Amino acid sequence: LDLGVDFSPVDRVLQMGSPKGIARLMQRAGRSAHRPGETARVYGVPTHALELVEFSAARVALAAGRIEERAPLEGPLDVLVQHLVTCALGGGFRPDELLEEVRGTWAYRALDRATFDWALAMVEHGGATLSAYEQHHRITAVDGVYGVATPRIARFHRLAIGTITADATMEIRFLRGARLGTIEEDFIGRLRSGDRFNFAGRSLEFVMVRDLVAYVRASKVVPSLTPIWSGSRFPLSTSLGEGVRFELDRAARGCWEEASAELLAVRPVLEEQARLSRLPQADELLVERWRARGEHHLFVYPFEGRRAHQALAALLALRLGRRRPATFSLTVNDYGIELVGESAIVDEELLHPSVLSPDGVVEDLTESVNLGELAKRQFRDIARIAGLVFPGYPGAGKGTRQMQVSASLVYDVFARYDPDNLLLHQARREVFEQQFELTRLERALDRMGHSRVTVVDIPHPTPLAFPLVIDRLGSRLSTEQLITRVQKMIAGWQG
């Protein structure tokens, strides 16, 4: 549905699960009734009760015309580097004229001459570190007009042109070498040795990763994990997250006469949340604490989406640990965060201004995550777009492993001999913006810092906390099926 393929006989679209965004829901609905004068229709099919709140928020947002903004790119230098070679190949260019033309686009409106000259040097002779390699001497000037240096460079550029990069995948192989298929790198990166998951109709046990190949062995134990590809892992958008907070605020104030059909359908679940804890209002940050089996659980509900919550969880763990040394395990979803530790977090620690402050967020994130490795992975796409690595010939393209090795070599050269290389800065910036949604995170911290923080001690997980508990249980090694462990846990609460 996201590819833009239209079939006129389609009358209705079924959206399985939350679309996670208003614009995405509209785009998918537009695949139906794609004929002049017809009305598009989409049916939402929630996969769990709380998704009814998301569909209710989406209905309200659509009626009000509140659709997510699309933030434009700001000066991506890998694209500029590629564009310089393309212009040289397309008849040549004069630097002054091309600079003015490029500045006419929104993304490069603030492009300064020094940065443009840096990009020009990168494609002319490889910049400060790659000048010894002939393949990086891609353009040359004749009478002030830059053109492509050799037919070989022109051929390579035509084969590699474009800015769309696929999600990185890994091969899955048995330890003895038989190949099973490919899987997304992000999923494998979250597994620990011994974790079991479903793949290709088999139960597999993860063993290790070597040279971007995931090695597994067959398992007779029923696995608790199933691979989720990036297309079904979209985070909750800013507009929909705000809408969910508004819908919960409506329920918290008891305005059921204004509620949508979806909100009325999920009313019993929301009332149970209010009975065990409380429903957060729009200007409130709800925090729940629960103790079980000697572990202390802290649940925080910003409703800012999975990506922002991943960064926020690492940030909270770091800042709380600074106030009192502790070790936390972290779980996140689109609604909230769970931190599990051996000692309780007291109100004074949680409510300290430094914990939820947007100040120093970049420095703290850099300290709390492996930024170097993340930037190196991000640099792989930047290097491909900038033409620093060649993706291979049609029918014989390089695999992710080869591309990663090639890009890593260039990254290491830049990091060692040219640490101020602008492409390295771009890789780090894109890690913050794309993987951690830094701008959204800073806004969320500012909002939470000005919100009323309500801390509630709960007897057992609430409807908002329960999905986080299940996600954490599902990632633990156990010989019992997940549903069996859940049933035992619920029986213990009821007893």
Side-chain angles (χ1 to χ4, degrees), residues 363-377:
E363 293 78 7
D364 287 351
L365 277 178
T366 301
E367 182 179 344
S368 62
V369 300
N370 187 357
L371 182 62
E373 186 60 32
L374 292 174
K376 184 175 289 189
R377 287 172 56 182

Side-chain angles (χ1 to χ4, degrees), residues 139 146 149 201 210 221 233 312 334 337 359 441 450 459 491:
I139 67 174
Y146 281 90
R210 180 178 294 167
V221 178
R233 206 168 43 229
L312 182 59
D334 280 320
I337 300 164
D359 298 334
L441 176 62
H450 290 87

Side-chain angles (χ1 to χ4, degrees), residues 295 297-298 317 327-331 337-341 472 476:
E295 292 182 328
H297 303 251
L298 188 77
T327 300
F328 300 102
S329 61
L330 310 174
T331 309
I337 300 164
E338 180 190 25
L339 287 83
V340 183
R472 181 171 47 81
R476 286 186 174 180

